[in-house]
Amino acid sequence: MTTAMSSAAANTFLGHCRTLLGDPHVLTLAGEMEPYLTDWRGRFTGSALAVLRPGTAQEVADTVRACAQWRVPIVPQGGKTGLVLGSVPDGSGTAVVLSLARLDRIRHIDAFNRTITVDAGCILQAVQQAAQDQGCLFPLSLAAEGSCTIGGNLATNAGGTAVLRYGNMRELCLGLEVVTPQGELWDGLRALRKDNTGYDLRDLYIGAEGTLGIITGAVLKLYPQPKACITALAALPSPDAALELLKLAQDRCGASLTGFELMSAFCLHLVRTHFPQLPQPFTAAHPQYVLLELSSSESEAHAVALLEQTIGAALERHIIHDAVVASSIAQSQALWQLREHIPLAQAKAGKNIKHDISLPVSVIPSFIAQTAPQLQRAFPGCQLVCFGHMGDGNLHFNVAPPEGIGHEAFLANQAEVNRLVHDAVNHFDGSISAEHGIGALKRDELARYKAPLELALMRAIKQALDPHNLMNPGKIL
Ligand SMILES: Cc1cc2nc3c(=O)[nH]c(=O)nc-3n(C[C@H](O)[C@H](O)[C@H](O)COP(=O)(O)OP(=O)(O)OC[C@H]3O[C@@H](n4cnc5c(N)ncnc54)[C@H](O)[C@@H]3O)c2cc1C
């Protein structure tokens, strides 16, 4: 628990920050700070002593040292696209928001080592583009890529659409540069794929959501650009059939299978209702759909042929009812649009109760078969928006109100709905946060489901690195 500084101390602290960063980068007026204080979904607005905008890693270190000296809590902020209230301050007004947005340099690309070294404030899309300009691929891809930053991606260990083939952010990072809560600058920007020299500090900071230090730079892995990515949309009778299709596709395509996304009939119904201009590949409705993506290092023709063979085998074995295989990259992108428009269609339909969960892939059908009827019994008529990165065991398992029930009224059931879903996740040995993190939103849920020993070890790490609890207090723990 931090207490507010006296106004004299606050003025001295802010004066010191102005000396370090220059007046334009120390924001204290309500109107200037407002864009930094409200979360992406507009659910919460906090307040802050100031918004600080350092321009270099050294300035971040100097600023954090000042915060440590005056005991000012720090909320690191990248693109503010996080979905668990991690990058906005609480309502006390005692913390500063430390924006990394000005640290946006691509520092170095080594096409032979297949690495790119970047500032933490670089927008993800800019990093993808810089890699592409050198004929390489930086594979992290998610719908917020035009706004989110590499620092935020690392701090939340972001996943996205290509985890099946390339892994999440943890697997895409080789080295880090971090400012400690005491304001020291640790240069761990090693571009090594093998480095067994003791505790892996890099892994500690990835996924820590800014509670252990501030990431200022990173060395990321690059891959060869595939020659083609081709997509198919399959219609299936059930999640069990989707599981069989996943196994078949992995057996036949190996690492070429780069995406496997499950979507229920209700998801595509929402997309059809709110975006009627998008293609409707099937005339009849089916209970489930799977979007498969295949990447080929050979050619578009090779990718199309492999995908057609896989779909042919699935039809022969009656795993799927029907399928559309894109015959070009343009058609593939049109099919992806159906998947990408599900969150947008949900937003147009109104608020719902969201869950970002992960499960062992093999239990996904049992989880859905057990949990969907439980929800119906507890909240008759509720509508399940179930979709996600099935290949990674990650479902977005969102619960929308029954027809005719107001969204705000239904949200009053949030705690009960969360309990039912998260208890089921726990029963199937899953995780209550697959890729969005814990932030402030799921902190109490974490305390409920993590083993006491695991929580105690996490607290011991936090206490050792940040004894005054100045780094993003109230988040995760
Ligand atoms: C439309 C949309 C789609 C999304 N899709 C996906 C998806 O498919 N997969 C997925 O994994 N996530 C997804 N997300 C959420 C995802 O976590 C964020 O988009 C992204 O990774 C966060 O980056 P950011 O720069 O916006 O971080 P912010 O929101 O600014 O911060 C997120 C957390 O990281 C901390 N932080 C930020 N920068 C630093 C830093 N430099 N050092 C230390 N801590 C820092 C913050 O304090 C906060 O706790 C989506 C979000 C949106 C809005």
Side-chain angles (χ1 to χ4, degrees), residues 105-117:
R105 279 181 319 129
I106 305 286
R107 296 192 196 175
H108 179 56
I109 297 189
D110 183 341
F112 286 99
N113 195 41
R114 294 205 179 276
T115 49
I116 184 167
T117 308

Side-chain angles (χ1 to χ4, degrees), residues 96-253:
V96 293
V97 171
L98 195 148
S99 166
L100 279 298
R102 289 179 63 226
L103 273 75
D104 62 353
R105 279 181 319 129
I106 305 286
R107 296 192 196 175
H108 179 56
I109 297 189
D110 183 341
F112 286 99
N113 195 41
R114 294 205 179 276
T115 49
I116 184 167
T117 308
V118 301
D119 278 359
C122 282
I123 300 288
L124 171 56
Q125 210 165 50
V127 174
Q128 294 166 341
Q129 188 60 52
Q132 193 179 325
D133 292 346
Q134 298 294 320
C136 297
L137 173 76
F138 180 62
L140 185 76
S141 177
L142 45 95
E145 63 199 18
S147 307
C148 64
T149 63
I150 293 300
N153 299 149
L154 286 161
T156 59
N157 187 25
T161 53
V163 173
L164 187 59
R165 164 71 179 86
Y166 299 101
N168 49 24
M169 201 53 177
R170 193 183 294 285
E171 283 146 290
L172 297 174
C173 176
L174 294 177
L176 283 185
E177 181 187 74
V178 173
V179 171
T180 69
Q182 292 72 34
E184 302 142 316
L185 187 60
W186 170 54
D187 179 355
L189 289 173
R190 290 185 281 268
L192 306 174
R193 285 171 175 79
K194 291 191 167 185
D195 178 17
N196 282 351
T197 50
Y199 302 146
D200 196 329
L201 298 178
R202 174 199 56 172
D203 261 352
L204 206 53
Y205 290 112
I206 298 173
E209 300 183 43
T211 60
L212 300 179
I214 299 185
I215 298 166
T216 51
V219 183
L220 306 172
K221 286 187 203 167
L222 298 178
Y223 289 83
Q225 278 280 358
K227 291 277 186 312
C229 288
I230 290 293
T231 304
L233 185 69
L236 306 95
S238 64
D240 284 290
L243 187 62
E244 280 196 54
L245 180 61
L246 175 61
K247 175 138 192 338
L248 177 81
Q250 283 179 320
D251 287 345
R252 286 188 162 242
C253 309

Side-chain angles (χ1 to χ4, degrees), residues 40 76-83 86-87 100 120 142-144 148-149 151-153 155-156 158-160 209-210 213-215 389 435-436 472:
W40 177 269
Q77 189 178 94
K80 214 184 57 152
T81 67
L83 298 174
S87 54
L100 279 298
L142 45 95
C148 64
T149 63
N153 299 149
T156 59
E209 300 183 43
I214 299 185
I215 298 166
H389 317 298
E435 55 177 14
H436 294 163
N472 220 357

